[in-house]
Amino acid sequence: GENVEQHPSTLSVQEGDSAVIKCTYSDSASNYFPWYKQELGKGPQLIIDIRSNVGEKKDQRIAVTLNKTAKHFSLHITETQPEDSAVYFCAATDSWGKLQFGAGTQVVVTP
Amino acid sequence: DAGVIQSPRHEVTEMGQEVTLRCKPISGHDYLFWYRQTMMRGLELLIYFNNNVPIDDSGMPEDRFSAKMPNASFSTLKIQPSEPRDSAVYFCASSLGGGNSPLHFGNGTRLTVT
């Protein structure tokens, strides 16, 4: 089945700096790669997603890149703000269309 | 749109008791998912439904767990009997189009079994 690995597990950045989270996946049939943000006491919320026919996607300060050959995808957050502090999860669909989540990255943005 | 609604938000029960978690998906969504979140195992898919029919329950840990979706606007996850190792946050999510579409999560039920 699909195995999604996510790094780092924790990430501390200064406000205004960039944050990068990286994920790898194992199933070459995976074709959908969403990123979720989870704030304390809430459910995960989709922040951006990318499909296998696209290499990069951007939405304001957030961008995602996908390298299908290497089976890895990354989340980039620019000009970080305190409200970006949260746990971020990458995910990938497996051959059965089920989402497999990475272990999560705790991002702390310090003023 | 009110989003996915889960109840209760918190549940504390004693080992051996029956626990029922409830979920109301977003109107019009045809897929419903139950996830469990723990520090050790992260987000695990327990079961999902399409048009109220259970499609894959391979993630359900044991026979003590059961889930139903009697209609398009309501689903339950039941644990009977509950055990301390069932303590976790249980999330319900819905989507229009399955796992290849954005999932909308509820705010979860934090279950503590003593």
Side-chain angles (χ1 to χ4, degrees), chain A residues 31-32 36 38 41-46 49 51 89 93 96-103, chain B residues 9 33 35 37 42-43 45 48 56 58 91 98-108:
Chain A
N31 58 13
Y32 178 60
Y36 287 82
Q38 186 176 24
K42 295 187 178 181
Q45 182 178 19
L46 180 76
D49 57 9
R51 298 190 185 272
F89 293 94
T93 50
W96 300 96
K98 294 190 293 186
L99 264 185
Q100 302 296 331
F101 284 85
Chain B
R9 285 300 313 272
F33 304 81
Y35 281 87
Q37 186 175 40
L43 274 162
L45 177 64
Y48 76 93
D56 187 334
S58 60
F91 288 103
N100 285 304
S101 303
L103 297 189
H104 298 259
F105 285 83
N107 283 328

Side-chain angles (χ1 to χ4, degrees), chain B residues 46-103:
Chain B
L46 301 177
I47 185 172
Y48 76 93
F49 296 82
N50 177 216
N51 291 324
N52 314 339
V53 177
I55 302 300
D56 187 334
D57 65 354
S58 60
M60 297 285 260
E62 301 170 31
D63 291 346
R64 299 184 296 107
F65 286 69
S66 63
K68 294 182 179 179
M69 192 165 185
N71 57 63
S73 58
F74 184 64
S75 177
T76 59
L77 178 67
K78 186 178 293 187
I79 308 172
Q80 165 64 13
S82 58
E83 296 182 3
R85 59 191 167 130
D86 301 330
S87 297
V89 181
Y90 291 82
F91 288 103
C92 174
S94 68
S95 77
L96 193 59
N100 285 304
S101 303
L103 297 189

